[in-house]
Amino acid sequence: MDRLILLILASILAGFALVKVPLSGTFLAGLEPITDIIGIVAILIFSLFLIYKGLKGLLGKY
């Protein structure tokens, strides 16, 4: 399997982890909106890139 695809999947999982991390009650509670935004952007960017690579592979333009 392509190592780039595995890296992209790991990045998507990291984005989900950033969105779900509980920061309330810690000294990092003020950074929770920032981590949510970074997580959502990471999920969107890497998911769109994964869809692009999949479509390219399906259409034979690999």
Side-chain angles (χ1 to χ4, degrees), residues 4-18:
L4 178 65
I5 300 299
L6 290 176
L7 180 63
I8 292 169
L9 288 174
S11 301
I12 292 171
L13 287 176
F16 277 113
L18 273 176

Side-chain angles (χ1 to χ4, degrees), residues 4-9 20-21 24-28 30-35 38 40-41 45 50 54-56 62:
L4 178 65
I5 300 299
L6 290 176
L7 180 63
I8 292 169
L9 288 174
K20 291 291 186 180
V21 68
S24 58
T26 66
F27 67 96
L28 296 172
L31 296 177
E32 190 165 10
I34 296 170
T35 59
I38 292 172
I40 291 169
V41 168
I45 288 173
L50 191 60
L55 287 175
K56 226 171 106 171
Y62 214 101

